[in-house]
């Protein structure tokens, strides 16, 4: 009896398709990976139709599309265009995880809540929402972390170097979430340090290789309860004193998670999403769908603020 192969079409917006995404695909049960670098709006429809019209409806679940590339905004547009190219039941499952932006954000938020659960601080009190600070909150990962935190009812503060940039992102996220409590912060140094103790969750989603919180900030932060998650794996540490492999490591009153510890969860999630694509022909995995998948997959307790 012949078995039908699971084929993943890797649509990448960069001139060379991501080797990272390719390796993860092959580790996720993909039999054949077809890479399409330099995917643009103009050449997309034909590629999608090629995926749609080559297998019978009952076999379409064995074909899926992964949208990647280093320019996350362009990849997001490509993802939306792929979805718009389908009609009726003739479709294949699609994942959007350009530069790991969605799986990383979900893994970061899962780590943060897992830490709060471990500390015993997951108290549901609508009058006192969990307060979260997102350093580098205007970047693609920071914005997605903020979106997930708002979805869980947190009070979110986005940190940025620019008042205008942070304000614009906060305004946009406020529109996308019901009853969103979001504000922005541009303080630095001693002024910023005074603010830190009020945050239950602190995420660093600042640029790779940039330290957003130094030793003085950590000395203040670790005197109050909560969780700190650093996503920067490129030295120096994004938050002073957090090592990339730290996983729920106690530091003063806080638990800390480093970039590679979060990366382990991200990898598990990335593989699970690819697996899930081949279970049906109509799955759509963007940020919130990946977050929904993670609550069933990861062993942490699902949290609400
Ligand atoms: N572990 C993983 O699997 C994984 C996967 C993907 C990403 N990451 C990490 O997640 C983090 C966020 O990724 P991203 O792509 O969202 O980052 P990004 O867009 O490069 O930067 C995020 C924000 O950092 C601020 N920033 C940029 N350059 C800076 C500088 N020189 N000094 C101070 N601030 C600066 C900017 O905010 P303002 O201009 O508003 O200040 C920017 O919006 C990175 O550290 C990345 O390496 C980890």
């Amino acid at each position: 009896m012949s078995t039908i192969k699971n084929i993943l079409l890797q649509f990448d917006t960069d001139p060379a398709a991501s080797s990272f995404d390719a390796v993860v695909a092959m580790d996720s049960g993909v039999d054949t990976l077809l890479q399409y670098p330099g995917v643009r709006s103009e050449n997309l429809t034909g590629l999608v139709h090629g995926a749609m019209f080559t297998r019978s409806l009952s076999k379409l679940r064995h074909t899926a599309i992964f949208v990647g590339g280093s320019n996350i905004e362009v990849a997001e547009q490509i993802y939306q265009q792929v979805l718009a190219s389908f009609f009726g039941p003739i479709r294949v499952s699609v994942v959007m995880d350009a530069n790991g932006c969605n799986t990383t954000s979900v893994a970061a938020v899962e780590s943060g809540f897992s830490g709060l659960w471990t500390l015993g601080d997951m108290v549901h009190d609508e009058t006192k929402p969990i307060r979260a600070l997102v350093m580098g909150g205007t970047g693609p990962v920071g914005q997605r972390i903020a979106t997930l935190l708002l979805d869980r009812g947190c009070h979110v503060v986005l940190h940025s170097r620019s008042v205008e940039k942070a304000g614009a992102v906060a305004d946009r996220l406020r529109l996308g979430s019901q009853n969103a409590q979001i504000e922005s912060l541009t303080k630095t140094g001693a002024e910023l340090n005074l603010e830190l103790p009020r945050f239950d969750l602190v995420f660093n989603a600042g640029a790779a290789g940039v330290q957003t919180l130094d030793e003085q900030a950590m000395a203040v932060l670790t005197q109050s309860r909560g969780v700190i998650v650093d996503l920067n794996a490129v030295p120096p540490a994004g938050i002073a004193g957090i090592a990339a492999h730290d996983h729920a490591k106690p530091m003063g009153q806080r638990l800390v998670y480093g970039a590679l510890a979060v990366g382990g969860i991200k990898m598990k999630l990335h593989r699970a999403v690819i697996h899930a694509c081949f279970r049906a022909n109509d799955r759509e995995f963007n940020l919130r769908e990946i977050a929904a998948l993670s609550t069933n997959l990861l062993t942490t307790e699902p949290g609400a603020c």
Side-chain angles (χ1 to χ4, degrees):
M1 198 177 88
S2 70
T3 53
I4 186 148
K5 288 189 187 309
N6 287 337
I7 298 176
L8 186 70
L9 284 74
Q10 183 184 353
F11 291 176
D12 201 306
T13 57
D14 289 346
S18 160
S19 55
F20 180 100
D21 291 339
V23 173
V24 181
M26 297 312 291
D27 283 348
S28 308
V30 170
D31 297 310
T32 302
L33 178 69
L34 303 175
Q35 294 187 296
Y36 297 88
V39 167
R40 288 283 169 272
S41 191
E42 310 80 77
N43 61 14
L44 188 68
T45 308
L47 293 175
V48 179
H49 286 174
M52 290 163 66
F53 296 127
T54 36
R55 288 171 155 180
S56 65
L57 194 51
S58 65
K59 291 181 178 151
L60 268 183
R61 73 179 176 89
H62 295 286
T63 305
I65 293 172
F66 181 97
V67 180
S70 57
N71 187 328
I72 294 167
E73 282 180 18
V74 173
E76 181 70 45
Q77 288 163 13
I78 293 290
Y79 173 75
Q80 297 301 338
Q81 198 185 332
V82 170
L83 297 183
S85 304
F86 297 144
F87 35 86
I90 306 171
R91 55 181 58 232
V92 300
S93 292
V94 194
V95 185
M96 154 64 193
D97 196 30
N99 233 12
C101 62
N102 286 330
T103 48
T104 301
S105 307
V106 172
V109 172
E110 287 296 337
S111 299
F113 276 86
S114 172
L116 286 184
W117 190 268
T118 305
L119 284 172
D121 289 0
M122 281 298 302
V123 181
H124 183 75
D125 178 353
E126 283 176 3
T127 63
K128 190 174 166 292
I130 286 175
R131 293 148 304 183
L133 172 66
V134 186
M135 302 297 296
T138 60
V141 173
Q143 291 186 41
R144 284 167 171 78
I145 289 174
T147 299
L148 296 171
L149 293 169
L150 291 172
D151 285 353
R152 292 190 183 213
C154 295
H155 184 146
V156 177
V157 175
L158 294 178
H159 190 273
S160 166
R161 296 166 298 173
S162 153
V163 178
E164 293 76 24
K165 202 170 159 187
V169 172
D171 286 347
R172 198 172 51 71
L173 295 183
R174 201 173 287 116
L175 289 176
S177 280
Q178 280 188 337
N179 305 318
Q181 299 183 77
I182 182 162
E183 54 188 281
S184 54
L185 183 68
T186 51
K187 290 178 181 172
T188 56
E191 277 195 324
L192 172 61
N193 293 353
L194 283 175
E195 304 268 349
L196 295 177
R198 70 181 166 107
F199 295 107
D200 307 291
L201 289 170
V202 175
F203 295 90
N204 173 45
V210 172
Q211 188 166 89
T212 60
L213 293 174
D214 61 13
E215 287 83 0
Q216 286 79 22
M218 270 304 262
V220 175
L221 255 182
T222 50
Q223 287 174 35
S224 57
R225 279 175 75 83
V227 179
I228 311 172
V229 180
D230 181 16
L231 292 178
N232 170 36
V234 179
I239 298 182
I242 300 185
H245 282 103
D246 285 348
H247 179 89
K249 181 183 171 187
M251 283 184 78
Q253 296 281 307
R254 297 211 175 229
L255 293 183
V256 307
Y257 293 78
L260 295 183
V262 177
I265 299 171
K266 177 249 176 312
M267 294 303 295
K268 190 173 172 183
L269 202 46
H270 189 151
R271 288 193 291 267
V273 173
I274 305 284
H275 267 292
C277 280
F278 296 113
R279 289 197 208 108
N281 73 317
D282 59 357
R283 305 295 302 270
E284 296 170 12
F285 287 108
N286 207 340
L287 177 66
R288 286 181 167 120
E289 295 83 6
I290 293 174
L293 186 78
S294 80
T295 55
N296 300 326
L297 173 80
L298 304 172
T299 53
T300 54
E301 296 287 343
C305 292

